[in-house]
């Protein structure tokens, strides 16, 4: 196995680099991580697979750029849940360290690609809503289906390229540089760059949604003033209030799920993490998976179109369940009674 410089504060590992990063020391910690990954991963795959089915099974939704961005978000979250949960449990719970540096960096690249694509899809969704509320008359001209597919292509290629730079050679074994305290074989400078990339994404998302929230509040204040004079309720005003609540929820979830991980990553770049903080980081990492569980509820299932499609799917499912109950014998009996 490839070896490279071990973090100074890592426990004594008898020369095995991978074992230095297996920070869960008790069976209770391993069981807790296994339960969290299993629960969040299963929920995430089910919810996001359902969203993908609802979007691409309807010609009306799969042609709209906004739903293409939500579909990209659901795809990224599905991949993130599968790759992250399997690799995380395999490494921290079952302590599997018998794979090469390349195999580990391949898994890590898949995790980073998925989470980066998830946040980038959130950014495209935020920009889509930003354009729709700031330039509504030009929205259809600016946000075409072709431009949406082009943006998604650039998004996925960029995220994959950035995520697989360690596998392509930017790692501490090839460069003989300082390794990260949190990830095997990962160069500290690469981790700094990736954290900056994620922080910029989150900052752009927050700015776009804050602007949407500000415009929505302006619209609510304007409509309240004019509708109070007319003495009529306004459906658009209620819709803007719902939008404002959704945006506050979005920002709260992003802050809750990503702040602990990013803070610990930044701290590890400038300082030294204790063994306890490295365990905390392992548990905080599951919050990123929780974000992927919440995303379809916030972005997809709150949509009236997708919710209506979901109701139709459940209705068809209930009819199929009731169909076996209507056996030929019962049908014959009812026809005799009617005769």
């Amino acid at each position: 196995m490839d070896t490279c410089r071990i973090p100074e504060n890592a426990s004594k590992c008898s020369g095995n680099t991978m074992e230095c990063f297996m920070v869960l020391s008790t069976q209770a910690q391993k069981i807790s991580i296994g339960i969290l990954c299993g629960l969040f991963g299963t929920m995430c795959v089910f919810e996001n697979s359902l969203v993908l089915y609802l979007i691409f099974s309807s010609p009306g939704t799969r042609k709209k750029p906004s739903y293409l961005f939500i579909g990209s978000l659901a795809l990224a979250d599905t991949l993130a849940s599968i790759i992250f949960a399997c690799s995380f449990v395999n490494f921290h719970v079952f302590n599997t360290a018998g794979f090469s540096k390349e195999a580990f960096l391949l898994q890590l690249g898949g995790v980073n690609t998925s989470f980066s694509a998830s946040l980038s899809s959130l950014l495209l969704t935020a920009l889509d809503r930003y354009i729709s509320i700031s330039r509504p008359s030009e929205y259809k001209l600016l946000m075409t289906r072709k431009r949406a597919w082009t943006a998604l292509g650039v998004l996925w290629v960029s995220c994959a390229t950035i995520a697989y730079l360690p596998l392509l050679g930017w790692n501490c074994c090839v460069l003989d540089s300082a390794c990260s305290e949190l990830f095997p074989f990962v160069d500290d400078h690469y981790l700094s760059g990736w954290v900056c990339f994620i922080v910029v994404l989150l900052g752009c998302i927050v700015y776009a949604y804050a602007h949407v929230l500000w415009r929505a509040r302006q619209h609510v204040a304007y409509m309240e003033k004019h509708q109070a004079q007319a003495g009529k309720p306004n459906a658009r005003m209620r819709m803007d209030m719902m939008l404002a609540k959704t945006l506050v929820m979005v920002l709260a979830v992003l802050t809750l799920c990503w702040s602990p991980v990013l803070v610990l990553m930044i701290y590890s770049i400038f300082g030294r993490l204790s063994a306890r903080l490295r365990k905390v980081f392992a548990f905080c990492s599951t919050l990123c998976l929780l974000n992927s569980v919440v995303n379809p509820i916030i972005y997809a299932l709150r949509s009236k179109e997708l919710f209506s499609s979901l109701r139709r799917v459940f209705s068809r499912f209930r009819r199929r369940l009731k169909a076996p109950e209507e056996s030929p014998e019962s049908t014959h009996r009812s026809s005799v009674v009617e005769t």
Side-chain angles (χ1 to χ4, degrees):
M1 181 183 294
D2 297 279
T3 58
C4 39
R5 210 183 315 173
I6 300 172
E8 293 179 6
N9 70 328
S11 57
K12 296 180 180 180
C13 315
S14 66
N16 191 330
T17 306
M18 297 292 285
E19 290 181 355
C20 300
F21 297 87
M22 297 175 181
V23 296
L24 303 183
S25 55
T26 66
Q27 196 67 22
Q29 293 172 354
K30 295 179 181 181
I31 292 175
S32 300
I33 285 289
I35 292 174
L36 289 175
C37 288
L39 178 62
F40 291 160
T42 303
M43 292 175 61
C44 187
V45 170
F46 173 75
E47 291 176 359
N48 288 286
S49 299
L50 179 61
V51 170
L52 288 172
Y53 172 77
L54 294 176
I55 290 176
F56 291 99
S57 63
S58 172
T61 55
R62 66 169 176 257
K63 292 180 180 180
K64 295 181 179 180
S66 57
Y67 286 107
L68 291 179
F69 298 148
I70 293 177
S72 173
L73 173 64
L75 176 61
D77 285 338
T78 301
L79 294 176
S81 63
I82 295 173
I83 301 173
F84 175 84
C86 293
S87 60
F88 203 74
V89 170
N90 191 40
F91 186 81
H92 284 291
V93 177
F94 297 108
N95 298 138
T96 302
F99 37 75
S100 64
K101 176 190 72 177
E102 288 75 17
F104 179 84
L105 292 179
L106 182 65
Q107 292 181 4
L108 184 63
V111 173
N112 288 345
T113 299
S114 303
F115 281 127
S116 300
S118 176
L119 288 178
S120 299
S121 298
L122 288 179
L123 177 58
L124 287 182
T125 303
L127 293 176
D128 176 72
R129 295 181 179 180
Y130 176 88
I131 295 173
S132 68
I133 197 170
S134 61
R135 305 175 72 175
S137 59
E138 304 174 26
Y139 173 77
K140 291 186 178 181
L141 294 176
L142 294 173
M143 193 59 67
T144 62
R145 191 182 180 194
K146 181 179 179 181
R147 289 180 178 177
W149 279 113
T150 302
L152 289 175
V154 172
L155 178 157
W156 280 92
V157 171
S158 301
C159 291
T161 302
I162 295 172
Y164 281 104
L165 285 176
L167 182 63
L168 297 175
W170 191 356
N171 59 72
C172 56
C173 295
V174 173
L175 301 176
D176 193 24
S177 56
C179 293
S180 167
E181 293 183 286
L182 298 174
F183 305 100
F185 314 121
V186 173
D187 179 74
D188 256 343
H189 295 295
Y190 169 79
L191 183 61
S192 302
W194 190 81
V195 169
C196 290
F197 173 62
I198 296 299
V199 170
V200 169
L201 283 179
L202 290 172
C204 293
I205 293 170
V206 170
Y207 173 80
Y209 276 130
H211 183 82
V212 172
L213 179 59
W214 175 64
R215 292 296 296 267
R217 291 189 64 182
Q218 274 191 329
H219 183 77
V220 168
Y222 175 82
M223 296 306 298
E224 282 181 343
K225 179 181 178 181
H226 286 75
Q227 292 303 319
Q229 296 174 357
K232 297 178 182 179
N234 187 274
R236 178 61 186 272
M237 187 173 65
R238 291 194 299 270
M239 184 182 69
D240 286 341
M241 289 298 294
M242 290 181 61
L243 174 63
K245 293 177 181 179
T246 300
L247 299 183
V248 170
M249 190 187 307
V250 167
L251 299 181
V253 169
L254 281 175
T255 303
L256 173 65
C257 294
W258 282 94
S259 292
V261 170
L262 292 176
V263 167
L264 288 173
M265 283 185 182
I266 294 171
Y267 184 82
S268 72
I269 295 170
F270 296 101
R272 293 293 176 183
L273 292 176
S274 64
R276 183 177 181 180
L277 283 178
R278 294 170 72 206
K279 291 179 183 179
V280 171
F281 177 80
F283 281 92
C284 289
S285 298
T286 60
L287 290 177
C288 300
L289 192 58
L290 177 61
N291 185 47
S292 297
V293 174
V294 178
N295 280 340
I297 299 173
I298 296 177
Y299 291 92
L301 299 181
R302 289 171 66 91
S303 165
K304 289 184 178 180
E305 290 183 74
L306 292 184
F307 188 72
S308 299
S309 300
L310 181 62
R311 291 181 62 182
R312 288 195 294 270
V313 169
F314 282 142
S315 297
R316 290 197 299 267
F317 182 70
R318 284 198 299 267
R319 286 197 296 269
R320 289 178 182 177
L321 289 179
K322 290 180 180 179
E325 298 177 3
E326 299 176 359
S327 61
E329 183 179 356
S330 61
T331 306
H332 175 71
R333 289 177 180 174
S334 60
S335 63
V336 170
V337 172
E338 291 175 2
T339 304

